[in-house]
Structures are given as structure tokens and as C-alpha cells.
């Protein structure tokens, strides 16, 4: 359990001078104050909640007297959140007593687990400004996990009844109480704002989209080369995994993937599998020479690696060693012959032992079974949702299938003996990320694809998809395909996803390079340097509501925008309008005849297609203007 506490620098200086013995008093025995070992090294305070657990019954009584919410003894997470919240409220009481009236303190609480701290702080009239952010409503997650027609029935749900049936009524009450106690309530996307309005009965004051540290992913003009390098490593895995059935051209093989928590319906794995079945049919009917290898990176219960998968990588390595040995012998004999000034007899340059070695290597690649669809031994093989649906649609990696499936039920790691790659490198090596989520308050996975220049599929039920629809006039032209899962039936959405993937398979290699350039161009839309200003606005609004005599802010003032020149990517982008040919398929030879790139025209298209991020609120008094920014 943790809490995120935000202070101004001057407050941190005062806090660092506080007597830790005061903090380590009767309420809690262990308080740790130091720096968090991440970029920027921010200050952090950690509470040992186990040392204060003996106060739990007393604090439960305080919570009941404050807001008539009772917590069952068996809910460990709720009890821990109450302990943490009580310690946070006690800490802020001590902090504000030491600071006095200047400076003022802002505390930003995230999710229902931090709710008790906010409730106690407001009920005890601690002089702080509070912000509460829900990244997804608690009940919303439960309802969507149960295959409910969620968004079409938001206004008809009996919220108390639904929460009670799922035995989370006390958690829901904590979340709702925190929302209504906060000076400012925020959420991460417009679609979650609609959800929160119905379930928590308060419309968010500010939408605070989630950003990324784009600098961390930035590769400048090298991101295309990094794609080729990482793709080669994935190809090596495919060579081993599909040994004996490697009758498809890896140079014409595309790598798709889906990754995230194993929420089969919420993450859209159900509709993705059905679409893959339809895509396989289309590729076979059209005699397409493109093969699609699809990776499912979702953690599930396993007991070990699949023996067949490990064997495949061992055989691949053995074949590589054999080829390297023969190459060395061949090269030496060729070198000696050329030194003598003769053209060697190619039939005699390899002896019988060499042929025997190669025949043994070929024999070792023979297999009587199909390549496995999973890389691990699953504990619940018979009931696993992904494996059950693979059996239903019949995609078993047979030779006739143009769509192959690899289910990797663990998060990726560079130390893995099967696929030794970190997630970031793996994403860079893929061609398309597919995230057809039904319930996705924001969606970091397609955002990470975007900043790494990898096209992705998302939906209009994800915060990321709604954000892109708002800021980019034609997202698909920039490698962000947005499925309609809100106003279409499941079958229509499935057909739309199938068409997205089939059209992507028709692109030539040059067109894919062009599209990656445009996708990478959207990175700055997701940078915290710009999206962080929504958080700044929310905190200024909280100060104006908590301390109206000191801070003045018009909460209904229209949003202000700043003139913002969207930077061109370091790699030269093409024109979106000329990227797709009218014919369904063409060879790479046609690429030389593509329309030439005009820098000025492309910059003008981006100026019209991509909307600038908002800049909210005014700068506090005494704070200097950052270089290159205008005052709002």
C-alpha cells in the first residue's frame, strides 16, 4: 500500500528539518523519509502500516462516526487502506501545525485505497487543499468483467444493489465519499468522466489525461533502425518456435501483439481472437503471401516453460552452430583455392562429413506435432479463456494457417531463455499493437506504441482512443486505428477490426515505414510536459476552493490554448494522403514511384490535422515563465 504525496520545494525543505522522532511517536513506529530512486529523485515518505495495525478497531470506529461506513474484518485491502488513511491524516495535521499558514499544502489522492486519508483530513478540518483522481471506478471494473452491457445501461444500474451483490459496497462507499469530500475531483479521460458521473454521482471538475515521459522512449532518427534490430530478434524466436513448420517467408511476416492484465473481455482478447479467425480466412481466400504471427503477452498461472518451446530454441541454436561450422570450413577452402589462382570445384569443396552433419541437422528439425500455441504449461489449460477460444476458432498453427498464435503467459524479460527481450524492445520489433478494449479508462499500451513509432489499434471506449479522436482529425492516417465499440454491435466491431488488420497486411514495406514515421510524429501529444498542465490546473483550482481568500480563480473560465508549433519528426515523414494506393495490393517494386515528399505541404497538413494540447490556468505569483511559453 502506498500513497502519493505532493509538496512544493519549500515545504520539503521544512519537512526535511522536522524531527523524525516526532513522526515516530505513538501513532506509528516506522516512518521513512528519503528520495525515490526514479528519474528526478523526488522526496518520498513511507509509513509502516503494520506497526500501527493495533489502532485498527479505534480507527474503524472513527470512520463509522465520521461517515457511517463500516469495514468487514476479512477485507485486508480495505483495512490496510484505513490504516494508511489514518496515518496520512495524522501526518498532515502534524505538518500543517508546523508550517502554519504559509505555505499552503496540496494533497492529491489517487484511487479508493487513498480515500480514507482524504475523508479524515476533511472531517477533521485540516487546512489542506485536496484533489481526488479515479483512474477507473471500482464498480465499473467489476461490472465490465461480468460481460455487462455497461455503457448502454449506465443510467439504469441500481448502483447500491450492484455493489452489494459483489460484496464491495463498503469499498464503493469509501470511493464515493472521497469523491464528494475532495475540493477537486478529476479522472483520466472523457469516457471515464461519463462513467463517474453516473456511478459516483459527481461530474469531474477536470479531465487529467495520462502522459508519458517521451524522452525515455525517444530514439530520434534511430527508431526505424531499432525496429529492424528488435524485429530480427523476434524472428530468431519464431525460427525456433516454428521449427519443422517454417514454410513461410519471414521477410513477409508481420508481428502483431496484445499485452496487459489478463482481463479477457475488458482487454478485448475475445473480439481479437474472433477477428484473427476472420483475418486468417481472408488471407487464405485471397492467396496472400503475408503471414501474421500474433503474440498474446498476458500473465496467467503456469508451472514452467513448455518443453516443446525450449526444445525449439535449442534446435535453432544447434542449427546456427552447424551452419557456422560449415561456413568456416567452406570459407577456408575457398580462400586457399583463390590464393592458388584456381576456381574451386563447388561439388568437392564440402566433404562427406559436412553433408552428414547438415543432414543430421535437417533430421533434427523434423516434428510430428504442430508448433505449440503457448510457450508455458498452463495450470488451467482446459478452462483458460484464450486457449478455449483458440480451440473454438481452430487456429492451431497448422501449415495452411496464415495467422499463427503464440500465447506467452508471462511478462517479457531480457533474462528469459525463450524470448530474451524487454517489453520496450519487443514492442519496437512488432508491426502493430492491437488493443480492442471494452473497458480501458486510459490505455498506456497504445500510447507506448505511439511514442515508439509503432501503429496500434484502440477503441472509442478507451481514454487514449477518445483523446486521439479529439486531437487528430484523421487518426488512422497517423497509425492509430480507432474501433467503434460503443455504437456498433460486437459482430460489426469484429468486422471493423478484421478490416483494419487486413488493410494493414496489404501495405508494402515502404508504406509501413512511412506510417511508422507519422505515428512517431504524435509523440509530443502524449508528453507530460504538456499533459502535466491539466494536473497543475486541477491543483490551482483546489487551492482556490480551499483558500479562497488567498487564491482567486474563475472555475467556469473557458479553456485557453497556446500557439504551439507541432515539431516535425527527425525522420522524414510522407504525405498521409499518398500513403495508401487505390489497388488492394502491390509489390515493393512500385515503391520507387511513390509521390515525392514535400516538406511544406506535410507541415501544413499536420497543422490542420493535429490540434494543440490545452494549457490551463495562470502561473502563480512570483513564478517565472518557462522559456518559449506564453502567459495564459
Amino acid at each position: 500500500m502506498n500513497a502519493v504525496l505532493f509538496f512544493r520545494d519549500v515545504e520539503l525543505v521544512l519537512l526535511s528539518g522536522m524531527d523524525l522522532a516526532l513522526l515516530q511517536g505513538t501513532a506509528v513506529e516506522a516512518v521513512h523519509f528519503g528520495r525515490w530512486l526514479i528519474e528526478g529523485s523526488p522526496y518520498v515518505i513511507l509509513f509502516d502500516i503494520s506497526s500501527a495495525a493495533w489502532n485498527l478497531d479505534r480507527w474503524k470506529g472513527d470512520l463509522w462516526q465520521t461517515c457511517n461506513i463500516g469495514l468487514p474484518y476479512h477485507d485486508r485491502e480495505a483495512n490496510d487502506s484505513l490504516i494508511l488513511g489514518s496515518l496520512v491524516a495524522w501526518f498532515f495535521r502534524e505538518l500543517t501545525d508546523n508550517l502554519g499558514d504559509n505555505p499552503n499544502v496540496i494533497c492529491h489522492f489517487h484511487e479508493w485505497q487513498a480515500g480514507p486519508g482524504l475523508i479524515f483530513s476533511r472531517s477533521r478540518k485540516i487546512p489542506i487543499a485536496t484533489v481526488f483522481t479515479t483512474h477507473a471506478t471500482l464498480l465499473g471494473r467489476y461490472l465490465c468483467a461480468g460481460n455487462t452491457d455497461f455503457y448502454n445501461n449506465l443510467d439504469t444500474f441500481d448502483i447500491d444493489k450492484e455493489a452489494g451483490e459483489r460484496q464491495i459496497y463498503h469499498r464503493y462507499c469509501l470511493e464515493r465519499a472521497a469523491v464528494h469530500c475532495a475540493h477537486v475531483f478529476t479522472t483520466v479521460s472523457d469516457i471515464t468522466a461519463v462513467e463517474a458521473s453516473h456511478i459516483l454521482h459527481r461530474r469531474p471538475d477536470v479531465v487529467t489525461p495520462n502522459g508519458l515521459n517521451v524522452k525515455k522512449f525517444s530514439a530520434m532518427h534511430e527508431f526505424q533502425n531499432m525496429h529492424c534490430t528488435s524485429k530480427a530478434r523476434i524472428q530468431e524466436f519464431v525460427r525456433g518456435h516454428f521449427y519443422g513448420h517454417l514454410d513461410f517467408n519471414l521477410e513477409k511476416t508481420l508481428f502483431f501483439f496484445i499485452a496487459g492484465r489478463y482481463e479477457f473481455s475488458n482487454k478485448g482478447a475475445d473480439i481479437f481472437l474472433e477477428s484473427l479467425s476472420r483475418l486468417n480466412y481472408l488471407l487464405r481466400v485471397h492467396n496472400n503471401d503475408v503471414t501474421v504471427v500474433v503474440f498474446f503477452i498476458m500473465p496467467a498461472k503456469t508451472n514452467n516453460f513448455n518443453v516443446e518451446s525450449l526444445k525449439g530454441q535449442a534446435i535453432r541454436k544447434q542449427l546456427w552452430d552447424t551452419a557456422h561450422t560449415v561456413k568456416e570450413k567452406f570459407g577456408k577452402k575457398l580462400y586457399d583455392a583463390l590464393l592458388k589462382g584456381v576456381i574451386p570445384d563447388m561439388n568437392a569443396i564440402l566433404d562427406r562429413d559436412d553433408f552428414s552433419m547438415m543432414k543430421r541437422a535437417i533430421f533434427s528439425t523434423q516434428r510430428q506435432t504442430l508448433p505449440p500455441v503457448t510457450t508455458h504449461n498452463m495450470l488451467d489449460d482446459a478452462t483458460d479463456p484464450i486457449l478455449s477460444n483458440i480451440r473454438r476458432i481452430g487456429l492451431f498453427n497448422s501449415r495452411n494457417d496464415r495467422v499463427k498464435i503464440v500465447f506467452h503467459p508471462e511478462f517479457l524479460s531480457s533474462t528469459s531463455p525463450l524470448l530474451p527481450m524487454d517489453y520496450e524492445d519487443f514492442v519496437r520489433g512488432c508491426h502493430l499493437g492491437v488493443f480492442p478494449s471494452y473497458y480501458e479508462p486510459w490505455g498506456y499500451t497504445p500510447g507506448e506504441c505511439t511514442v515508439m513509432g509503432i501503429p496500434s489499434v484502440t477503441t472509442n471506449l478507451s481514454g487514449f482512443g477518445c483523446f486521439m479522436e479529439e486531437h487528430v482529425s484523421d487518426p488512422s492516417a497517423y497509425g492509430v486505428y480507432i474501433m467503434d465499440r460503443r455504437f456498433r454491435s460486437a459482430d460489426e466491431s469484429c468486422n471493423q477490426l478484421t478490416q483494419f488488420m487486413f488493410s494493414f497486411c496489404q501495405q508494402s514495406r515502404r508504406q509501413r515505414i512511412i506510417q511508422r514515421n507519422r505515428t512517431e510524429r504524435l509523440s509530443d501529444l502524449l508528453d507530460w510536459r504538456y499533459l502535466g498542465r491539466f494536473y497543475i490546473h486541477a491543483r490551482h483550482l483546489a487551492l482556490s476552493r480551499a483558500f479562497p481568500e488567498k487564491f482567486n480563480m474563475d472555475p467556469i473560465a473557458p479553456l485557453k490554448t497556446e500557439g504551439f508549433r507541432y515539431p516535425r519528426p527527425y525522420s522524414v515523414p510522407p504525405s498521409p494522403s499518398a500513403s495508401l494506393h487505390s489497388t488492394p495490393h502491390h509489390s515493393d517494386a512500385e515503391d520507387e514511384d511513390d509521390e515525392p515528399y514535400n516538406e511544406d505541404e506535410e507541415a501544413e497538413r499536420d497543422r490542420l490535422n493535429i490540434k494543440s494540447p490545452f494549457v490551463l490556468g495562470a502561473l502563480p505569483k512570483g513564478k517565472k515563465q518557462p522559456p518559449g511559453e506564453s502567459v495564459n
Side-chain angles (χ1 to χ4, degrees), residues 403-532:
V403 175
K404 318 285 186 180
I405 292 180
V406 178
F407 178 24
H408 189 282
E410 278 188 357
F411 287 131
L412 297 173
S413 170
S414 58
T415 60
S416 170
L418 279 182
L419 188 54
M421 300 180 70
D422 289 326
Y423 178 73
E424 180 181 337
D425 295 331
F426 174 79
V427 172
R428 288 191 185 277
C430 290
H431 297 90
L432 182 70
V434 184
F435 313 102
S437 303
Y438 182 77
Y439 186 77
E440 191 71 78
W442 176 248
Y444 268 116
T445 41
E448 290 168 341
C449 287
T450 300
V451 299
M452 288 188 274
I454 302 300
S456 62
V457 178
T458 184
T459 74
N460 60 353
L461 291 180
S462 73
F464 174 82
C466 294
F467 181 83
M468 283 300 175
E469 280 187 320
E470 179 184 355
H471 288 82
V472 183
S473 61
D474 184 10
S476 59
Y478 289 84
V480 179
Y481 300 93
I482 301 177
M483 288 174 54
D484 184 358
R485 294 204 65 181
R486 188 174 185 182
F487 304 109
R488 295 192 183 192
S489 67
D491 185 66
E492 291 173 331
S493 298
C494 190
N495 286 333
Q496 185 183 26
L497 176 56
T498 304
Q499 189 58 46
F500 281 158
M501 295 189 293
F502 184 67
S503 298
F504 189 86
C505 292
Q506 307 309 302
Q507 294 183 7
S508 66
R509 181 174 179 270
R510 175 175 170 80
Q511 287 175 326
R512 293 196 300 271
I513 292 174
I514 282 171
Q515 191 175 55
R516 284 196 295 272
N517 284 333
R518 292 201 302 269
T519 303
E520 188 261 353
R521 196 175 201 164
L522 299 178
S523 296
D524 278 352
L525 278 178
L526 304 174
D527 198 330
W528 273 125
R529 290 181 302 163
Y530 304 109
L531 298 185

Side-chain angles (χ1 to χ4, degrees), residues 27 102 120 124 139 174 241 256 284 321 340 350 364 374 383 415 436 441 528 543 555 571:
N102 191 23
F120 283 142
R124 296 170 186 174
L139 184 58
L174 286 176
H241 191 80
F256 295 178
R284 291 174 63 178
D321 293 340
K340 297 176 182 178
L350 296 176
S364 69
T374 179
T383 59
T415 60
W528 273 125
L543 285 171
S571 50

Side-chain angles (χ1 to χ4, degrees), residues 80-95:
D80 285 350
S81 69
L82 177 59
I83 298 172
L84 175 64
S86 300
L87 294 176
V88 168
W90 160 80
F91 168 77
F92 277 113
R93 171 63 72 186
E94 297 289 341
L95 178 64

Side-chain angles (χ1 to χ4, degrees), residues 205-307:
D205 300 292
V206 183
V207 172
T208 52
N210 286 332
L212 289 166
N213 182 4
V214 172
K215 183 180 178 181
K216 170 186 174 184
F217 299 98
S218 177
M220 300 181 70
H221 58 280
E222 285 295 314
F223 82 97
Q224 292 283 10
N225 294 333
M226 294 174 72
H227 166 74
C228 293
T229 302
S230 297
K231 181 180 71 173
R233 295 171 65 184
I234 298 176
Q235 287 175 337
E236 285 302 297
F237 166 81
V238 170
R239 289 187 176 98
H241 191 80
F242 291 91
Y243 81 91
H245 288 258
L246 200 64
D247 52 355
F248 50 91
N249 186 353
L250 281 177
E251 295 304 318
K252 294 185 178 181
T253 298
L254 303 179
F255 299 131
F256 295 178
F257 81 99
I258 181 174
R261 290 187 301 273
Y262 198 169
E263 298 176 5
F264 184 69
S265 298
N266 282 358
K267 296 299 183 184
D270 50 354
I271 199 171
F272 187 28
L273 282 166
E274 178 61 33
S275 298
L276 289 176
S277 176
R278 301 181 187 187
L279 175 64
N280 184 57
Y281 172 79
L282 288 177
L283 292 176
R284 291 174 63 178
V285 166
H286 288 82
N287 294 320
N288 201 301
D289 58 354
V290 171
T291 301
V292 178
V293 177
V294 183
F295 293 87
F296 286 75
I297 312 296
M298 292 181 164
K301 294 180 179 179
T302 64
N303 59 17
N304 211 331
F305 292 109
N306 188 311
V307 172

